[in-house]
Amino acid sequence: MILILSLSLSLSSCMTMADYNYARIDSNLASGNYAAVSAELDEKKSTIYGIHDEVLVALDAGLVAHYDRDTDKSNELLSKAERLIDAYFSTSISQSVTSMVTNDFVQDYAGEDFEDLYTNLFMALNYIEAELYEDAMVEVRRFDNKLKKLRAKYEEIIQAVENDDENSKIKRVSIQFYNSALAHYVSMLLNRVEGDYDNVRIDAKLLEEAFNMQPSLYDFAVPSSIVAEKAARRADCRLNVLAFSGFAPVKKEEAVRAYSWRGTVWYKLALPKMEKRPSAITSIVVKAINKQTGESFSQTLEQIESLENISVDTFQQKYSVLFTKALLRSIAKTAANTTMNTIARRSKDATVSTVFSVLDFATKISNEFTERADVRTCRFFPAKASVTGMNVPAGDYTVSVEFMAGSHVACTETKELSVRAGKLNFVEAACLR
């Protein structure tokens, strides 16, 4: 009975970020009240995050700071998250062993590949906001270098798991993502402001290749404005707009259970699955009004990147490793249950039979609650990125980006911008709903 009571008490400590009610956070995000989101993340930190969630603490806060245009704070936090991801990726042996006994929540969260990649892109956007274009280009290149290494990233881990159990053969999954249209779009704008038209041409070519060679990820047309971007020159007064909408997928638990009618076997396999989240945004329009002349310019943005498609795709390689670990862990737990159940049924000593029956029951209950999928993930990456560009006369502008939900405006983000030739006239906006 003491054992059962101890197990029952331990269940209260199994709370994870997946159990937190994000209704207020999501409402504040939808209304653009990022300060309130930051305050809640800070106030409820010990409730939302566990001791192994340092990466998520930095990622979540860093992205919210980005949307709030606190570029210094955002880059400080995103840089911290990137360093921790790098440090935690090669997980310590002790944590790996423990996770084979309980679950993956006892390991330091090392981020998803998608999160690691786009951390650099959001840092690049922070630098663009601060007009630090060389620093922005460094982050874009780091994004590209990580992407090039992504396919080989898990080979060492896969080999290590297979060496631990010669019968465990992990399914090799070939991810599709190897070229980002959004990264090349940002690079193209940065190269143009430097007058490097050869690299502008290369970026445009690679951007179009991303669509042609990865149709499952880019299941929409190349933005029509890209043709004009290739032809644009540094001397042009060109206004470029990038807008993020929706939310990237989060992980949900999928569990499979099996048991015999005599109760001799209790089997549970819990795995995370990336689940897309619906968005209310159906279109995005930018309106720019010249303060001096009153002249108005308008353009509809077109999608350039599906961050939700890419997050699902890049998760597949890690999923194959998680599946094998979870399967081995469940088999080991089931074998222990079966042994105790067998001893309880066959023992001629009533005391021994009772003890092992209690242990068997307690272990089955423990397995049900401790065998949980690791559903930790950053909740604040967007689902889609859309862009447009247009030539306008030099002047001071009020630029409004309107996110439409059907026929009505769901949210608007406005920026005062001085548009001049020879500079990157760039507006970024977001509507997280």
Side-chain angles (χ1 to χ4, degrees):
M1 293 301 293
I2 294 176
L3 176 59
I4 296 176
L5 179 60
S6 298
L7 287 168
S8 299
L9 290 173
S10 70
L11 300 182
S12 63
S13 65
C14 291
M15 295 287 288
T16 70
M17 65 178 299
D19 302 306
Y20 188 75
N21 185 348
Y22 286 89
R24 185 166 54 193
I25 284 178
D26 290 343
S27 175
N28 283 322
L29 285 169
S31 62
N33 190 355
Y34 303 117
V37 176
S38 293
E40 183 167 350
L41 290 178
D42 187 55
E43 180 185 350
K44 302 293 185 180
K45 181 178 177 180
S46 61
T47 303
I48 299 173
Y49 307 104
I51 61 173
H52 299 291
D53 296 343
E54 286 186 86
V55 166
L56 284 173
V57 173
L59 266 182
D60 287 353
L63 282 172
V64 173
H66 171 83
Y67 299 129
D68 203 26
R69 300 295 176 256
D70 191 342
T71 57
D72 289 340
K73 179 181 178 181
S74 177
N75 270 349
E76 180 182 348
L77 289 163
L78 293 179
S79 181
K80 178 182 178 180
E82 184 186 32
R83 291 195 303 272
L84 290 172
I85 288 171
D86 185 59
Y88 292 159
F89 179 72
S90 298
T91 309
S92 69
I93 295 175
S94 61
Q95 286 187 327
S96 295
V97 171
T98 307
S99 72
M100 289 299 291
V101 177
T102 54
N103 55 49
D104 289 325
F105 284 107
V106 300
Q107 292 183 277
D108 290 314
Y109 181 72
E112 297 302 330
D113 295 311
F114 157 80
E115 294 167 351
D116 187 25
L117 288 167
Y118 282 92
T119 292
N120 293 107
L121 202 52
F122 275 86
M123 284 195 282
L125 293 174
N126 282 331
Y127 284 126
I128 288 176
E129 179 72 16
E131 298 188 4
L132 299 172
Y133 301 139
E134 289 185 9
D135 292 328
M137 184 61 85
V138 168
E139 296 301 332
V140 173
R141 291 191 185 115
R142 294 180 69 199
F143 174 101
D144 190 53
N145 288 335
K146 285 181 182 179
L147 188 51
K148 288 176 181 176
K149 296 175 182 178
L150 183 58
R151 287 176 181 249
K153 185 176 179 181
Y154 283 92
E155 281 305 310
E156 185 177 340
I157 288 181
I158 290 173
Q159 195 61 52
V161 173
E162 292 184 342
N163 288 342
D164 285 343
D165 189 327
E166 294 181 357
N167 296 318
S168 300
K169 294 300 177 185
I170 297 176
K171 181 182 178 182
R172 260 62 172 183
V173 178
S174 180
I175 62 174
Q176 302 300 309
F177 187 49
Y178 71 92
N179 183 8
S180 167
L182 178 58
H184 287 298
Y185 179 82
V186 174
S187 178
M188 180 170 61
L189 299 185
L190 291 169
N191 279 316
R192 188 176 70 210
V193 79
E194 295 297 325
D196 187 350
Y197 303 120
D198 285 339
N199 275 320
V200 167
R201 178 181 52 81
I202 292 170
D203 279 321
K205 180 180 179 181
L206 291 172
L207 185 158
E208 291 167 349
E209 184 181 285
F211 282 80
N212 295 331
M213 303 302 291
Q214 303 167 119
S216 63
L217 303 179
Y218 292 87
D219 50 355
F220 42 91
V222 179
S224 57
S225 62
I226 299 304
V227 174
E229 301 300 348
K230 288 190 290 185
R233 290 294 179 262
R234 190 173 184 273
D236 295 335
C237 283
R238 189 158 181 83
L239 172 62
N240 288 99
V241 182
L242 166 64
F244 293 111
S245 60
F247 284 111
V250 292
K251 284 179 276 188
K252 300 290 186 179
E253 179 177 281
E254 283 193 335
V256 176
R257 296 174 177 84
Y259 56 92
S260 67
W261 69 273
R262 294 181 64 183
T264 56
V265 177
W266 173 259
Y267 171 86
K268 179 182 178 182
L269 180 65
L271 288 164
K273 178 185 178 182
M274 280 288 188
E275 186 175 279
K276 293 183 179 180
R277 292 184 279 178
S279 173
I281 306 306
T282 54
S283 63
I284 308 171
V285 178
V286 58
K287 297 178 179 178
I289 299 176
N290 188 305
K291 292 182 179 181
Q292 285 80 28
T293 66
E295 191 175 6
S296 179
F297 302 85
S298 179
Q299 197 99 316
T300 299
L301 279 70
E302 297 171 281
Q303 188 174 351
I304 193 170
E305 192 110 304
S306 174
L307 285 79
E308 59 181 357
N309 284 352
I310 290 166
S311 68
V312 172
D313 177 67
T314 54
F315 180 65
Q316 295 310 304
Q317 191 164 231
K318 184 176 182 179
Y319 179 86
S320 65
V321 177
L322 294 175
F323 176 84
T324 301
K325 284 183 64 179
L327 183 61
L328 292 174
R329 182 169 58 233
S330 293
I331 289 172
K333 289 179 178 180
T334 302
N337 292 156
T338 304
T339 299
M340 285 184 283
N341 185 276
T342 301
I343 294 174
R345 287 188 296 107
R346 295 182 179 179
S347 177
K348 296 179 180 180
D349 187 312
T351 301
V352 171
S353 179
T354 300
V355 169
F356 276 90
S357 292
V358 172
L359 287 172
D360 178 42
F361 175 74
T363 305
K364 284 183 171 69
I365 295 297
S366 174
N367 288 351
E368 170 62 27
F369 286 94
T370 61
E371 184 57 34
R372 298 189 65 180
D374 185 355
V375 294
R376 291 175 293 181
T377 187
C378 178
R379 296 180 58 87
F380 304 121
F381 280 103
K384 298 176 181 178
S386 302
V387 298
T388 195
M390 51 186 170
N391 290 334
V392 297
D396 298 326
Y397 286 80
T398 298
V399 182
S400 298
V401 182
E402 297 180 347
F403 295 82
M404 308 297 296
S407 59
H408 75 276
V409 179
C411 51
T412 303
E413 192 164 336
T414 301
K415 180 177 182 177
E416 304 299 323
L417 185 69
S418 177
V419 178
R420 299 289 184 268
K423 66 184 286 278
L424 180 53
N425 306 296
F426 186 79
V427 172
E428 181 197 332
C431 183
L432 303 178
R433 63 165 69 186

